[in-house]
């Protein structure tokens, strides 16, 4: 399936394509989700990243239904929450998510965190293979997986995850996990692409200088850095102007020198939780 959108698409290891730029809805108020996702669809986004734990799948679903956009033109991701890891609970969880979204299938279903203390992610991964075979999702992947978690699902199943969705921004580039994933055909999705507002990424002089050189905002430069790095990216905003701003990144290009300057900002600084600590 190829979605027609001005956004560049990447091909997943199962042959399906994914729009490289989408819209994330973590911390989007469930009461406002329908309006905010409607704004995003009107701005041009066709890829929405939600999760069961965000509590806003119903609002996403209402916005999709009201948009009149054909299902074929949309790429929808949701995620299996930690409390639902395991075979039976994963099968039940995807059905609940689909009911809330009002969809017959999603495009991508992810294990949200490896939760190493539970030690059920391989079992859950085998359940995701069954969920895919049942047609409830087109592609399957993981999130917050470290190299050892990826190795375990690759060797313990018949499916290499299509993506690994990890915290990633210029100050936390996760080169080791990204290089391992890409060498196995796993695409990288960058969560917290703008540093979640917790890191002063958008005020760094290297990014500010590049922004003024292009007449763009610092957020647009960071999103452009993700796209040119090859990351799949879905910045979140609850503000209509910023939703549009974050999509308006297809008409300029960072030079090799500008990319190098931003690459040099990697400080190994995580702003979110370490995957070993989430259980
Ligand atoms: P982001 O890096 O996208 O940052 C969002 C923050 O940046 C908000 O405070 C937003 O404020 C602000 N912001 C957005 N656009 C701009 C702009 N143009 N200029 C200045 N500030 C801006 O963080 P997220 O955590 O939301 O990550 C993106 C998505 O990744 C999530 O929505 C979710 O889909 C996914 N995710 C996945 C996780 C996982 O464990 N798999 C964990 C976390 C996120 P405002 O809303 O006011 O504009």
């Amino acid at each position: 399936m190829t979605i027609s959108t001005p956004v560049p698409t990447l091909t997943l290891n199962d042959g399906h394509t994914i729009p490289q730029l989408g819209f994330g809805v973590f911390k989007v108020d469930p009461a406002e989700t329908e309006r905010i996702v409607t704004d995003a669809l009107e701005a041009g986004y066709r890829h929405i990243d939600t999760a069961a734990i965000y509590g806003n799948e119903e609002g996403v679903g209402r916005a999709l239904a009201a948009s009149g956009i054909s299902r074929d033109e949309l790429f929808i991701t949701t995620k299996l929450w930690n409390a639902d890891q395991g075979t039976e609970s994963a099968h039940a969880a995807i059905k609940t998510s689909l009911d809330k979204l009002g969809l017959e299938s999603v495009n991508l279903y992810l294990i949200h965190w490896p939760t190493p203390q539970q030690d059920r992610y391989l079992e859950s991964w085998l359940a995701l293979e069954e969920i895919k075979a049942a047609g409830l999702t087109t592609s399957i992947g993981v999130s917050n997986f470290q190299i050892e978690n990826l190795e375990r699902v690759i060797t313990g199943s018949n499916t290499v995850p299509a993506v690994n969705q990890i915290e990633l921004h210029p100050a936390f580039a996760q080169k080791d996990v990204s290089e391992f994933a890409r060498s196995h055909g796993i695409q990288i999705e960058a969560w917290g692409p703008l540093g979640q507002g917790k890191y002063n990424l958008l005020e760094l002089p290297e990014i500010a200088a590049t922004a003024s050189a292009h007449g763009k905002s610092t957020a647009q430069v960071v999103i452009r850095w993700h796209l040119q790095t090859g990351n799949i990216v879905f910045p979140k905003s609850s503000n209509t102007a910023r939703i549009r701003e974050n999509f308006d990144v297809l008409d300029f290009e960072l030079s090799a020198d500008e990319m190098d300057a931003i690459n040099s900002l990697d400080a190994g600084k995580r702003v979110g939780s370490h995957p070993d600590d989430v259980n």
Side-chain angles (χ1 to χ4, degrees), residues 23-28 36 48-51 54 79 81 110-113 142-144 165-169 189-198 201-202 217-220 223 226 233-243 245-246 271-272:
F23 184 70
V25 296
F26 178 44
K27 295 206 170 151
V28 172
I36 289 169
I48 310 291
D49 184 273
T50 185
Y54 301 168
K79 314 186 190 88
W81 184 238
L110 306 181
I111 298 179
H112 205 144
W113 290 89
V142 296
S143 177
N144 297 302
Q165 182 178 125
I166 54 175
E167 180 184 343
L168 201 166
H169 45 78
E189 296 194 327
W191 69 250
L194 303 174
Q196 292 192 314
K198 294 181 192 161
L201 200 56
L202 303 184
S217 72
T218 50
Q220 289 171 321
I223 295 165
H226 281 287
V233 66
F234 24 78
K236 170 267 173 187
S237 179
S238 295
N239 172 283
T240 308
R242 287 192 286 277
I243 289 171
E245 174 186 327
N246 295 343
V271 292

